[in-house]
Every structure is written in structure tokens, then in C-alpha cells.
Amino acid sequence: MKLLSCILLLTLALGWAHSQGGGHPPHEHDYDLDRCKGLEMDAVAVNEEGIPYFFKGDHLYKGFHGLAELSNESFAELDDHHHLGHVDAAFHMHFEDNPDDHDRMFFFLDNKVFSFYKHKLEAGYPKDISEVFPGIPNDLDAAVEEKEFKSMPNCTSAFRFMEHYYCFHGHMFSKFDPKTGEVHGKYPKEARDYFMRCSKFSPDSDHVERERCSRVHLDAITSDNAGNIYAFRGHHYLRKDDNDTLTSDTIENDFKELHSEVDAAFSYENHLYLIKNNNLYVYRVGEPHIHLDGYPKPVTEELGIEGPIDAAFVCEDHHIAHIIKGNQMHDVELKVTPRKAGNERPIGPFKRVDTAMCGPGGVKVIIGNHFYHFDSTKLLSTARSLPEQHKVSLELFGCDH
């Protein structure tokens, strides 16, 4: 991240915080910790793995779902400095040309900055903001006055994610141009629809728009014999047919036995195999999808492997289910009874994946909001470096914002 971008994010987020009179005493809060009830976040930043951290008071939310935890559980030194239980702003520095700052997380409070590397406070911190970021005065209210963006709302927090810049204001957000501050498109939008995994959304939410443009990672994805893609996320799923028409619904409505949150999915002989926890559900593809009698059955009984399972896929004209657990891939011959997992091997250069699918062009491995394409499963398992990165929302579902 270049200095200009740092200045913009800091002046937006910190300027607002200072104009509101600062933060709250540590370990005290008068707000509901359920992020799906419309929390106004104090700061947002990504960690070195690209996972967003949302800060509220002395609490921290990691990723797009899950319960709040005290910030000092991940950043122990927060208790060593008065009032650092609440931060005015935070951001992750991605700047490979400067190894002394690269992959650092910076926290800001009043006129001080704190630098953490791998969740440890670096020696010599805290420091004055102007000492670490020349050109940004300690008087951040004055810094805001240097550049006025008339189309921008007051930001409670701001951060860079997937090469875009976002301004959060209350539980709404806007995407903006970091050079001009201009907001293009239909904003503001509801943050809970795009940056959090909530079972219910705002009454004005466009379900198809939300699911195809959500920043929350997919839980599972597969395509059936007709070429229809099913992408599962939380309580909802998105369907893309062979004409590129998109529809969205709740998982419970179309797959009521599952209710929500699919762990992995694959398609085989006109049936959808959906894995949740240690159980396998099988549906005959159609309108509606028909849940087969006798299911769910244990994954160990049906696939010869213990759960939990991170991803699964079957390639065209093959009878092998490729099952991914952690950083290992296993093969299950589906024509054999009883089925048994074998041929265990690493999943190439990946430590973990969110989901994966196979189609006529090869295998797509999805991690977070990006996917990586491999021409075959063999190339996936033998790869030693990452191929070109692609955006899930844009290239799979046509969302360009």
C-alpha cells in the first residue's frame, strides 16, 4: 500500500473518530455483540492471510462469521497501554518493496500508532503517527481538512479489500475511488448483506445481487450434468444456469433437510451430493430437487473417509470423487462398493481451500474471494507455485463492483 493510500484511509477513518471525541474505556460496552444486529464497527483491517478483522470497542470479529472475542486474545499487548482496548483505526500494510513495514498491522489511537507483526507489538512502539507516516500530522482533524471528498459520507472505518477501497458508515458501506473519493454505482449498501454471514438480511436486499457480489467466501460449489452451477454460502445459495441466468434462494427452501451451511458438494450421475458435518445428503437434480430416501448417511459409510471435509469435486466422464481435507486430497472410486478413500497426496501449493469444482476446462480451487485454475487434477496435486489469481464474483458470477 502506497503512502497516498495510507493517508486517505487514515484521514477518512481517524478524522471521523476524532470528530466524535475518541473511543470507549477498555472492557466496557453498551452494545449487543451480535454483528448481525447492525453494529457500527470502529475499525476494519485484513491480516496477513487476507482475512478481515472487524473491531468494536475492546472486541474483535475474525472473518465474516463467528462470535466476538476480546482483542487482547489476539493482540496481547493491547492491555499494556491505556485505552488501547479501543482503537480509532487499523490497517494491514502490504508493501513488499519495504520489508520493514510489509505484512504489519497498524493500530491508531489519538496521535499514536502501534505496529504489530504476527500479532506481536514491535519494539519501540507506540510512536507518533507523524514519525512513522511522514506527511500525516499528529493533528488528524487538520489532516482531514487537507482533502475534502464531497461525495463521501463520514466513515466510521475504511479499508482496502480485494483491490477496492471501502468506507463503512454505520452498518452501511460505500466503495470509493482512492484518488478522487468519488462513489460510483448504487451505494450505500448494507454491510450485513456483503461482509457478514447473517441468516436474515435487510428488507430491501436484492438476493441475487447480494450473493453474486458478496465478499464472504463460498462454503461449497458444484455444477450438475446440465452445466448449472450451485454456489452455497451460509443460509443461501446462488444458481447459475447454462444460459448464465442467476437465481438465489435459501438453502432451507430448496434443500430443506440441510437447513444451511454446506461443507462440500459434488455432482455425479444427475445427483447432487451435499456434505454437512459428518453426514452426506443426496438429491436428484430437478424442479424441485428430490431428497433420496435413506439419507443422510454417515460420510464414513458412503465415501470411506472421516469428516469434516473441506471440498469435493468430480470431473466429467470420471467416476472418482476428489475429497479435500486440510492440505491433502483423497480419491474415492464411486463405482466400487464399499467405497474407500485412497491415493492421499498434497493439494499442490495450498495449505487449505474453501471449496473447489471441476468442469470442462479443468479444476477451480477457491480460497476466499479468488480462485485458481488448473487444467487437470494431476496438475493441481503436482503444482509448486500459484497460477494466476481470478476473482470469484467477477469471473464466475459477473459482478464488476
Side-chain angles (χ1 to χ4, degrees):
M1 184 181 293
K2 306 301 183 184
L3 180 59
L4 177 62
S5 301
C6 297
I7 292 174
L8 176 58
L9 290 178
L10 293 180
T11 54
L12 285 172
L14 287 171
W16 186 93
H18 278 233
S19 69
Q20 300 300 310
H24 307 288
H27 308 305
E28 295 181 13
H29 60 82
D30 55 0
Y31 48 86
D32 193 316
L33 287 174
D34 184 351
R35 67 167 108 186
C36 288
K37 291 185 178 179
L39 276 182
E40 181 180 279
M41 297 299 176
D42 299 325
V44 187
V46 296
N47 70 358
E48 62 274 12
E49 296 178 346
I51 298 173
Y53 281 10
F54 299 87
F55 296 87
K56 179 65 178 179
D58 55 359
H59 282 79
L60 163 64
Y61 303 82
K62 294 180 178 179
F64 300 103
H65 61 99
L67 300 176
E69 61 181 64
L70 287 171
S71 300
N72 58 26
E73 292 180 7
S74 294
F75 302 95
E77 293 88 352
L78 292 184
D79 272 346
D80 296 340
H81 300 276
H82 183 57
H83 284 326
L84 197 57
H86 166 85
V87 296
D88 292 333
F91 78 91
H92 169 251
M93 174 73 83
H94 183 84
F95 194 13
E96 295 179 349
D97 293 342
N98 186 350
D100 290 336
D101 290 330
H102 180 59
D103 266 349
R104 268 59 175 180
M105 290 191 73
F106 291 94
F107 294 85
F108 299 84
L109 178 69
D110 297 329
N111 65 341
K112 297 294 184 181
V113 58
F114 302 73
S115 175
F116 283 81
Y117 182 60
K118 296 183 178 180
H119 290 192
K120 295 294 183 182
L121 185 66
E122 294 197 283
Y125 282 87
K127 298 180 180 180
D128 287 345
I129 292 173
S130 58
E131 177 185 349
V132 182
F133 298 97
I136 302 180
N138 288 329
D139 182 359
L140 287 166
D141 288 330
V144 176
E145 294 171 4
E146 292 176 3
K147 194 163 189 176
E148 181 181 2
F149 293 142
K150 294 182 179 179
S151 64
M152 288 285 290
N154 284 332
C155 299
T156 55
S157 56
F159 84 130
R160 179 179 182 264
F161 184 61
M162 287 181 62
E163 301 174 10
H164 294 295
Y165 292 82
Y166 298 95
C167 161
F168 286 78
H169 35 101
H171 54 83
M172 309 295 287
F173 76 95
S174 297
K175 189 181 77 172
F176 63 92
D177 185 319
K179 295 180 180 179
T180 66
E182 291 296 318
V183 175
H184 301 288
K186 297 179 180 179
Y187 289 97
K189 294 181 179 180
E190 170 63 67
R192 289 170 292 182
D193 285 359
Y194 294 86
F195 285 94
M196 301 174 194
R197 180 181 292 173
C198 301
S199 58
K200 295 181 180 180
F201 298 89
S202 62
D204 298 327
S205 176
D206 182 328
H207 296 297
V208 170
E209 171 76 3
R210 181 195 68 239
E211 289 303 315
R212 77 186 186 105
C213 296
S214 176
R215 279 61 173 174
V216 181
H217 69 79
L218 294 174
D219 296 327
I221 190 170
T222 189
S223 60
D224 62 24
N225 294 63
N228 302 307
I229 294 177
Y230 303 82
F232 299 89
R233 179 190 290 113
H235 293 255
H236 294 75
Y237 82 99
L238 183 69
R239 180 178 180 269
K240 179 182 177 181
D241 67 19
D242 56 355
N243 293 318
D244 291 339
T245 301
L246 296 168
T247 56
S248 179
D249 207 337
T250 62
I251 294 174
E252 186 171 24
N253 192 48
D254 282 4
F255 305 94
K256 65 179 181 180
E257 294 80 8
L258 275 165
H259 180 65
S260 65
E261 296 183 344
V262 179
D263 293 335
F266 65 90
S267 178
Y268 178 63
E269 294 188 336
N270 209 37
H271 288 77
L272 295 177
Y273 290 71
L274 306 180
I275 299 169
K276 179 175 182 177
N277 299 324
N278 292 309
N279 291 314
L280 176 67
Y281 300 74
V282 182
Y283 292 83
R284 184 183 302 115
V285 175
E287 297 291 343
H289 303 300
I290 305 299
H291 184 245
L292 298 193
D293 291 340
Y295 288 88
K297 294 181 180 180
V299 169
T300 51
E301 178 183 320
E302 287 292 288
L303 299 178
I305 188 171
E306 293 185 359
I309 291 172
D310 297 315
F313 59 91
V314 174
C315 294
E316 283 189 336
D317 302 323
H318 290 272
H319 305 286
I320 296 176
H322 303 283
I323 308 296
I324 297 176
K325 290 184 58 175
N327 64 352
Q328 299 291 308
M329 183 162 61
H330 311 254
D331 293 345
V332 177
E333 172 58 66
L334 297 175
K335 287 290 188 182
V336 174
T337 303
R339 293 166 178 161
K340 182 180 178 181
N343 192 24
E344 181 178 353
R345 59 204 185 279
I347 50 171
F350 303 106
K351 295 180 180 179
R352 52 164 291 277
V353 305
D354 288 321
T355 185
M357 67 180 294
C358 192
V363 181
K364 291 180 174 61
V365 175
I366 299 176
I367 301 175
N369 299 276
H370 296 91
F371 72 86
Y372 305 85
H373 179 86
F374 297 86
D375 290 337
S376 68
T377 55
K378 181 179 180 180
L379 290 176
L380 164 60
S381 59
T382 59
R384 292 296 175 263
S385 60
L386 292 176
E388 183 181 356
Q389 190 180 73
H390 303 269
K391 291 183 180 179
V392 171
S393 57
L394 173 62
E395 299 190 40
L396 293 187
F397 304 122
C399 177
D400 59 359
H401 61 274

Tab-separated table of all heavy atoms in Angstrom, residues 277-278 299-300 305-309 325:
chain	number	residue	atom	x	y	z
A	277	ASN	N	-21.216	-31.423	8.061
A	277	ASN	CA	-20.629	-32.098	9.223
A	277	ASN	C	-20.157	-33.489	8.797
A	277	ASN	O	-19.381	-33.615	7.881
A	277	ASN	CB	-21.625	-32.141	10.377
A	277	ASN	CG	-22.029	-30.756	10.844
A	277	ASN	OD1	-21.211	-29.834	10.846
A	277	ASN	ND2	-23.280	-30.585	11.214
A	278	ASN	N	-20.652	-34.547	9.405
A	278	ASN	CA	-20.228	-35.905	9.056
A	278	ASN	C	-21.302	-36.670	8.314
A	278	ASN	O	-21.280	-37.904	8.271
A	278	ASN	CB	-19.827	-36.669	10.325
A	278	ASN	CG	-18.566	-36.109	10.965
A	278	ASN	OD1	-17.554	-35.924	10.294
A	278	ASN	ND2	-18.621	-35.822	12.251
A	299	VAL	N	-20.753	-39.942	6.326
A	299	VAL	CA	-19.742	-39.802	5.282
A	299	VAL	C	-18.812	-41.011	5.268
A	299	VAL	O	-18.419	-41.503	4.199
A	299	VAL	CB	-18.941	-38.496	5.496
A	299	VAL	CG1	-17.721	-38.455	4.583
A	299	VAL	CG2	-19.823	-37.284	5.238
A	300	THR	N	-18.462	-41.512	6.436
A	300	THR	CA	-17.561	-42.675	6.508
A	300	THR	C	-18.178	-43.892	5.838
A	300	THR	O	-17.484	-44.675	5.187
A	300	THR	CB	-17.227	-43.012	7.972
A	300	THR	OG1	-18.455	-43.106	8.726
A	300	THR	CG2	-16.366	-41.932	8.598
A	305	ILE	N	-14.333	-42.166	4.228
A	305	ILE	CA	-13.410	-41.189	4.780
A	305	ILE	C	-14.112	-40.427	5.899
A	305	ILE	O	-15.330	-40.209	5.839
A	305	ILE	CB	-12.915	-40.218	3.683
A	305	ILE	CG1	-11.789	-39.316	4.207
A	305	ILE	CG2	-14.054	-39.385	3.113
A	305	ILE	CD1	-11.123	-38.502	3.111
A	306	GLU	N	-13.387	-40.058	6.924
A	306	GLU	CA	-13.976	-39.336	8.035
A	306	GLU	C	-14.035	-37.839	7.742
A	306	GLU	O	-13.157	-37.288	7.103
A	306	GLU	CB	-13.176	-39.571	9.324
A	306	GLU	CG	-13.240	-41.004	9.838
A	306	GLU	CD	-12.529	-41.159	11.169
A	306	GLU	OE1	-11.977	-40.148	11.659
A	306	GLU	OE2	-12.532	-42.284	11.712
A	307	GLY	N	-15.110	-37.195	8.232
A	307	GLY	CA	-15.219	-35.753	8.138
A	307	GLY	C	-14.429	-35.088	9.252
A	307	GLY	O	-13.845	-35.771	10.090
A	308	PRO	N	-14.383	-33.760	9.305
A	308	PRO	CA	-15.034	-32.864	8.346
A	308	PRO	C	-14.273	-32.781	7.023
A	308	PRO	O	-13.068	-33.026	6.969
A	308	PRO	CB	-15.021	-31.513	9.078
A	308	PRO	CG	-13.810	-31.599	9.961
A	308	PRO	CD	-13.712	-33.025	10.393
A	309	ILE	N	-14.998	-32.451	5.964
A	309	ILE	CA	-14.444	-32.355	4.622
A	309	ILE	C	-14.515	-30.903	4.164
A	309	ILE	O	-15.538	-30.245	4.327
A	309	ILE	CB	-15.207	-33.276	3.661
A	309	ILE	CG1	-14.906	-34.748	4.014
A	309	ILE	CG2	-14.852	-32.991	2.209
A	309	ILE	CD1	-15.741	-35.743	3.265
A	325	LYS	N	-9.277	-32.603	2.436
A	325	LYS	CA	-9.282	-32.383	3.886
A	325	LYS	C	-7.973	-31.702	4.249
A	325	LYS	O	-6.898	-32.254	4.014
A	325	LYS	CB	-9.385	-33.705	4.647
A	325	LYS	CG	-10.718	-34.410	4.559
A	325	LYS	CD	-10.720	-35.659	5.431
A	325	LYS	CE	-10.416	-35.338	6.880
A	325	LYS	NZ	-10.535	-36.514	7.781
